[in-house]
Amino acid sequence: MELSDRVNSIKPSTTLGVAARVKELKAQGVDVIGFGAGEPDFTTPENIIETAIEALREGKTHYAPVPGELNARAAIARKLKNENGIACSASDIVISTGAKQSIYLALQCLLDPGKGQEVIVPTPAWVSYFPMVSLAGGTVIEVPGAVDNDFRMTPEQLEQAITPRTRAMIINNPSNPCGTMYPPDEMRALGEVLAKHERITIISDEIYEKLVYGDCAPFSLGAMDSLAGRVITINGMSKAYAMTGWRIGYACSPAPDGDESPMAKAMAKLQSQMTSCITSFCYRAIIEALENSADAVESMRETFAKRGALMHGLLSAMPGLVCPKPTGAFYVFPDISAHFGKVSPEGRKIDSALTFAEALLEEAKVAVVPGNDFGEAGKNHVRLSFACSDENITEGCKRMGEWLRTLS
Ligand code: PMP
Ligand code: GLU
């Protein structure tokens, strides 16, 4: 069977690939420590699970409206208004099968092939943005971040990256894979630059907003009046509520002055031809998560904070690693390039993040994600997730440190 050029042009997700490889090795009985998975290791809080079971028992087994049940969309709008300062209403919200689908739909509704449209992405950035932009016909313009600045894009860098072809920007705060975040004043300064360029739409991926370890909450660009009508705020249940397998995400794209949102309408139209709605007994669980689960979220956040500090301390003590302190999400993204040019005990040549990650897995049985697919700025790095137990972190880092010391 002949496949389309479109699908042949992309790679499968590296992050999901590493997680799948770890599962496969474990099933074969290999004692592997996985730092690949980008998902909480906790089970969804009990009250959320019970709510979905009740909804199922009560017969929530039919198709729902395409953008989602109105009460769930209203709860999301309330959350965005109260917590993020975004002026919006239920009709601006489209609920989709994960934030991944929300971003995909948004890009499909924004871009056209053959028009030379550019999408600015500060990198290192989540692997899936790149194929999603290219599948929609756009070109990613990377703005590379520096490790000594926690990988944050400056307003000057942003200004320089903007051209007459810029159609959109995707910003992810806190960041996967960097594990760092923008202080609110820096995010506002980026917003000021964007305010001057009216044709640019901003996709603000805030999926890790609850997982922050510093003293400030992330600032939502959707709260800036000067950007009204141009921000699509993306979030979902996966990370904050340990609900990755439920597949629930949402996009909020209010029009200025409370008018009907053309973007929400367009995304729902596209979704109506793709997946219809999400699993219909989940809508009530969204409300339960948003309105009755703050304690569970906080307890998971505290655990992640401790694990992040543990992993960062262990990595920082290893030879040749440069590693910003995690301030958000559940990743660390050390620069490992000091080891390029070396040879492993089993004779593997380490000349890239890819060969580093392969050798580390084969020889020390520790799985990390090579930085190459997080953009050009990620090529000297590997990503480690600390969404796993203290024992795993301690044992995996011990193996990694010992292995690093054997490279010559
Ligand atoms: N954005 C970022 C930055 C992510 O890391 C992920 C990871 N899953 C997503 C979006 C998508 O999340 P989901 O589809 O599970 O809602
Ligand atoms: N976003 C997570 C990660 O980066 C989950 C896997 C994925 O969807 O990419 O690992």
Side-chain angles (χ1 to χ4, degrees):
M1 190 183 293
E2 217 174 300
L3 299 175
S4 67
D5 292 344
R6 187 183 324 107
V7 82
N8 282 334
S9 72
I10 60 161
K11 289 171 54 174
S13 162
T14 324
T15 42
L16 291 178
V18 172
R21 178 92 184 106
V22 169
K23 279 200 183 123
E24 206 176 273
L25 287 170
K26 281 189 177 160
Q28 291 165 11
V30 180
D31 171 26
V32 59
I33 303 279
F35 290 140
E39 64 172 336
D41 53 327
F42 303 109
T43 306
T44 306
E46 198 53 36
N47 58 317
I48 303 175
I49 294 179
E50 283 305 322
T51 308
I53 293 172
E54 271 165 34
L56 196 48
R57 290 230 161 86
E58 283 170 25
K60 286 281 176 190
T61 56
H62 298 273
Y63 290 134
V66 170
E69 277 186 1
L70 194 58
N71 52 4
R73 295 162 78 204
I76 291 168
R78 269 196 305 280
K79 176 254 182 271
L80 291 172
K81 233 191 279 181
N82 297 340
E83 293 184 9
N84 305 86
I86 299 171
C88 63
S89 62
S91 60
D92 302 320
I93 313 292
V94 176
I95 303 174
S96 300
T97 316
K100 203 174 221 172
Q101 195 196 1
S102 304
I103 301 166
Y104 192 92
L105 291 173
L107 287 166
Q108 290 290 334
C109 292
L110 274 173
L111 303 175
D112 283 307
K115 288 193 179 163
Q117 291 165 327
E118 296 175 348
V119 178
I120 293 175
V121 181
T123 57
W126 181 39
V127 291
S128 290
Y129 296 148
F130 303 89
M132 284 191 198
V133 168
S134 79
L135 286 169
T139 303
V140 168
I141 303 299
E142 285 193 44
V143 179
V147 68
D148 53 9
N149 185 36
D150 279 4
F151 307 99
R152 299 195 301 266
M153 173 170 66
T154 63
E156 294 73 32
Q157 279 183 304
L158 173 58
E159 189 76 71
Q160 273 165 21
I162 294 171
T163 74
R165 294 173 300 283
T166 309
R167 179 81 182 87
M169 179 184 90
I170 309 178
I171 190 152
N172 171 219
N173 185 46
S175 159
N176 173 10
C178 305
T180 53
M181 63 175 273
Y182 290 83
D185 55 337
E186 282 190 32
M187 188 56 88
R188 260 194 215 95
L190 296 176
E192 308 280 327
V193 173
L194 294 160
K196 292 185 276 175
H197 299 273
E198 279 182 15
R199 66 185 181 283
I200 303 178
T201 296
I202 299 120
I203 298 179
S204 179
D205 180 349
E206 305 182 5
I207 189 105
Y208 293 99
E209 75 165 339
K210 299 274 186 205
L211 302 176
V212 295
Y213 315 116
D215 47 14
C216 56
F219 175 73
S220 297
L221 287 174
M224 286 180 75
D225 290 342
S226 53
L227 297 176
R230 293 206 273 131
V231 182
I232 306 173
T233 304
I234 305 286
N235 209 326
M237 319 315 286
S238 287
K239 314 290 171 166
Y241 304 96
M243 292 173 72
T244 47
W246 295 60
R247 311 306 305 125
I248 306 171
Y250 58 84
C252 170
S253 46
D257 305 320
D259 291 347
E260 190 182 36
S261 164
M263 179 50 76
K265 236 176 130 184
M267 287 174 71
K269 176 168 69 171
L270 191 51
Q271 180 160 295
S272 79
Q273 300 291 13
M274 294 177 72
T275 52
S276 306
C277 55
I278 66 162
T279 309
S280 55
F281 52 84
C282 291
Y283 291 110
R284 228 182 274 170
I286 297 177
I287 306 172
E288 182 66 17
L290 293 177
E291 300 188 347
N292 290 319
S293 308
D295 290 350
V297 172
E298 178 54 15
S299 143
M300 290 190 271
R301 189 199 68 79
E302 282 170 8
T303 306
F304 284 131
K306 286 190 198 123
R307 292 168 172 181
L310 174 66
M311 183 178 263
H312 180 253
L314 293 170
L315 290 176
S316 302
M318 289 181 200
L321 299 199
V322 185
C323 181
K325 207 169 149 203
T327 51
F330 36 60
Y331 306 107
V332 281
F333 200 56
D335 183 329
I336 42 97
S337 61
H339 296 287
F340 292 176
K342 295 185 181 172
V343 177
S344 73
E346 291 182 18
R348 292 184 172 82
K349 199 164 174 284
I350 313 290
D351 53 9
S352 65
L354 207 59
T355 48
F356 180 98
E358 274 167 10
L360 182 65
L361 181 58
E362 290 300 325
E363 300 180 16
K365 304 287 180 270
V366 175
V368 299
V369 184
N372 308 69
D373 293 334
F374 295 96
E376 188 59 24
K379 70 179 195 308
N380 291 342
H381 297 255
V382 293
R383 189 190 80 176
L384 293 87
S385 157
F386 53 82
C388 58
S389 68
D390 285 359
E391 293 72 40
N392 256 35
I393 294 172
T394 310
E395 172 61 19
C397 288
K398 180 169 152 267
R399 290 185 194 180
M400 187 171 164
E402 282 167 4
W403 180 77
L404 283 177
R405 286 186 183 86
T406 62
L407 301 181
S408 54

